[in-house]
Amino acid sequence: MTTLQPGHLVMVDIEGKALSAETATFLREHHIRAVCLFRKNLGTENEVRQLVSDLGEVLGPQALIGIDQEGGSVARATFLPQAPAAMALGAIDDTAQAEAAAESIGAAVARGLRGLGINWNFAPVLDVNNNPANPVIAERSFGADPRRVGRLAGAWMRGSLAEGVACCVKHFPGHGDTHVDSHHALPTVDKSLAELEALELIPFRALKDEAPALMTAHIVYPQLDAEHPATLSRRVLTGLLRDAIGYRGVVISDALMMKAIFDRYGHARGAVLTLAAGADMALAQGRPEDQRAAIEAVGTALRDGRLDPAAMQVSRLRLDALARRFPAGAVPYAEITRADDDTLMRAAWARGLCTFGRATPPGTDTPLRVITQDRVDTDGVSEAGLAADGVAALFAGHTDVELLRVADLPNLDPATLPQDGRQTVLASNHRKRYGAAMIGWQPDLHLSLWNPFQVADIAAPAVVTWGYADGALAALRAWLEGRAPANGVAPVALAPHA
């Protein structure tokens, strides 16, 4: 066995859509074996395939090339068939049918990734979304019932594993009950272990023997460890996850560049603390100098005893086993298979379409005023939202539509809208919840195109798509034109309005 190198335990990201000589040298010199790709790295499909191939040559046969391809708004490779958000699958009312759909979707997502050579997907989400104010999970969760979340996520994962792509369930021990996004601040969930066992931990326990990898949460659980967030907590990652639950797969930290960790600990200290806590790999992307600092800090900690070399060797072996089981390298993605996968995903989006408050389609000749946000930029977690032109396309089959574009939809003042007899359609194409200014406003129809919990903010009949991928929009347009039903049932509590 080769000597353990600090870089074996650190995943980084890279700049650009092609592998530069400078980056290749950095990866080789530091013995990096794991790289996470983001939207900034994804050019055309052929360019991505070439990038992944070049990375494989540099990283070696034990390469782990990761990506976030959950479906819905978190799907970096947008040129692949567009998978439904987890909550769209959760909205398929019959659980057996929902499981079958989830397994098929997980397999289809994996086929697309294998066509690029990617072998590690940071999905599915096991978070139980029981907090309507959650700013970062919402439709990324399969729902509010922890047992059903485990069943659907398990089916999705089994589909992926069967097609040769490793999954990484997330975010342990649960990110569903936060009202703070750990990308921007450090959340706290003040629950006892008994409370966590009754909800958040149920899916993780259910899949502990199947999930090949698991990602941590940057959240403080003060009744478990008042000092450290879960990512850096030995009580959580070793005491709870390894010892009490018995998880034996790979544990990787969530991104250490997120403000919940970076602003308090920095890359270097964070990387050492997460490995000491029980993680096998530190996700330390960011500026090259931060990545280098993390790698060097791990090396120093191995030498001075803060990291146990024997324990780190076990971590390295877990990572080696993951790479052997799911080797990188492109597998042809046949056009007919790709077309079938696209059809499968569109059908699943359509099955999840939900209505609330006796929503009915407006007549195609009814004068409408459609209000939407002009553009919705990416927040770094989700892809860019549907722009106003995309909203307008939903009404291509209607004959009299006035489109009102606003810069910031949550700050809309309904009192400024004309009162001219047109039916008002609010198309919520952004993620943020609405505030008190919307209380009492009753548009004729509300289209929730992203965050389903916005339904509780607007007193109007509503349609929920769970996302804005092509399949979701096609299903919504068919409903708006009276050509198709909306038979989904929400897997979370959404307040219906009459």
Side-chain angles (χ1 to χ4, degrees), residues 184-267:
H184 306 299
L186 181 61
T188 296
V189 174
D190 192 11
K191 287 187 172 182
S192 67
L193 178 58
E195 289 174 306
L196 292 171
E197 291 282 12
L199 189 78
E200 283 87 350
L201 295 181
I202 288 174
F204 289 101
R205 281 192 176 275
L207 299 180
K208 71 181 181 67
D209 296 325
E210 296 181 67
L214 174 151
M215 180 175 281
T216 66
H218 297 336
I219 299 173
V220 173
Y221 300 82
Q223 297 190 50
L224 304 184
D225 185 337
E227 183 178 359
H228 298 109
T231 293
L232 310 182
S233 171
R234 189 164 182 84
R235 293 180 187 174
V236 173
L237 298 189
T238 296
L240 177 57
L241 179 60
R242 294 294 194 197
D243 296 343
I245 293 177
Y247 183 67
R248 295 294 175 260
V250 166
V251 175
I252 183 171
S253 76
D254 204 346
L256 298 178
M257 69 179 295
M258 291 161 60
K259 290 183 179 296
I261 300 297
F262 188 82
D263 285 358
R264 292 164 176 77
Y265 302 91
H267 267 53

Side-chain angles (χ1 to χ4, degrees), residues 121-486:
N121 188 6
F122 296 121
V125 168
L126 292 194
D127 301 318
V128 181
N129 203 99
N130 63 322
N131 185 343
N134 194 315
V136 69
I137 302 298
E139 84 291 344
R140 296 168 64 192
S141 165
F142 286 95
D145 180 338
R147 288 173 178 79
R148 197 163 188 265
V149 166
R151 290 178 64 175
L152 297 182
W156 198 102
M157 181 177 67
R158 285 188 287 275
S160 177
L161 302 184
E163 291 293 333
V165 174
C167 285
C168 184
V169 299
K170 56 189 184 185
H171 307 80
F172 184 84
H175 210 311
D177 196 14
T178 64
H179 62 277
V180 172
D181 182 352
S182 55
H183 292 83
H184 306 299
L186 181 61
T188 296
V189 174
D190 192 11
K191 287 187 172 182
S192 67
L193 178 58
E195 289 174 306
L196 292 171
E197 291 282 12
L199 189 78
E200 283 87 350
L201 295 181
I202 288 174
F204 289 101
R205 281 192 176 275
L207 299 180
K208 71 181 181 67
D209 296 325
E210 296 181 67
L214 174 151
M215 180 175 281
T216 66
H218 297 336
I219 299 173
V220 173
Y221 300 82
Q223 297 190 50
L224 304 184
D225 185 337
E227 183 178 359
H228 298 109
T231 293
L232 310 182
S233 171
R234 189 164 182 84
R235 293 180 187 174
V236 173
L237 298 189
T238 296
L240 177 57
L241 179 60
R242 294 294 194 197
D243 296 343
I245 293 177
Y247 183 67
R248 295 294 175 260
V250 166
V251 175
I252 183 171
S253 76
D254 204 346
L256 298 178
M257 69 179 295
M258 291 161 60
K259 290 183 179 296
I261 300 297
F262 188 82
D263 285 358
R264 292 164 176 77
Y265 302 91
H267 267 53
R269 187 178 174 212
V272 172
L273 288 175
T274 193
L275 295 174
D280 301 300
M281 178 164 271
L283 178 47
Q285 84 265 25
R287 298 175 302 176
E289 56 266 36
D290 290 323
Q291 296 178 5
R292 184 177 293 107
I295 295 164
E296 291 175 351
V298 172
T300 299
L302 282 167
R303 290 189 295 273
D304 67 20
R306 283 176 294 144
L307 290 176
D308 178 6
M312 295 303 97
Q313 191 65 257
V314 171
S315 291
R316 187 261 185 92
L317 291 174
R318 286 195 190 102
L319 292 160
D320 289 349
L322 186 70
R324 284 194 304 271
R325 181 181 173 191
F326 302 99
V331 174
Y333 191 24
E335 283 302 319
I336 188 170
T337 304
R338 185 191 191 108
D340 288 344
D341 287 345
D342 183 66
T343 298
L344 170 77
M345 291 178 178
R346 287 172 178 267
W349 276 112
R351 292 184 66 186
L353 192 68
C354 288
T355 60
F356 297 87
R358 300 178 183 175
T360 56
T364 55
D365 59 352
T366 300
L368 301 177
R369 175 172 292 108
V370 179
I371 307 166
T372 197
Q373 190 162 307
D374 189 47
R375 56 182 287 173
V376 183
D377 296 330
T378 177
D379 60 5
V381 181
S382 301
E383 300 305 311
L386 184 70
D389 287 345
V391 173
L394 291 169
F395 296 89
H398 289 70
T399 59
D400 186 1
V401 179
E402 177 187 291
L403 184 70
L404 177 60
R405 304 166 183 255
V406 300
D408 186 18
L409 200 51
N411 287 328
L412 172 72
D413 181 359
T416 64
L417 297 175
Q419 302 297 317
D420 54 6
R422 286 182 178 271
Q423 285 195 13
T424 302
V425 179
L426 173 65
S428 295
N429 57 343
H430 58 96
R431 189 182 189 97
K432 291 187 291 186
R433 294 289 300 272
Y434 289 99
M438 296 299 189
I439 295 175
W441 182 42
Q442 294 184 327
D444 296 288
L445 181 64
H446 180 200
L447 308 181
S448 177
L449 306 178
W450 191 343
N451 185 344
F453 294 103
Q454 293 166 338
V455 169
D457 301 334
I458 304 293
V463 187
V464 176
T465 63
W466 317 103
Y468 45 89
D470 291 346
L473 301 178
L476 177 57
R477 178 174 173 181
W479 181 87
L480 286 167
E481 295 175 1
R483 296 184 285 108

Side-chain angles (χ1 to χ4, degrees), residues 83-110:
M87 204 167 277
L89 294 170
I92 298 174
D93 189 34
D94 183 283
T95 299
Q97 293 180 17
E99 285 186 57
E103 185 167 355
S104 297
I105 295 298
V109 170

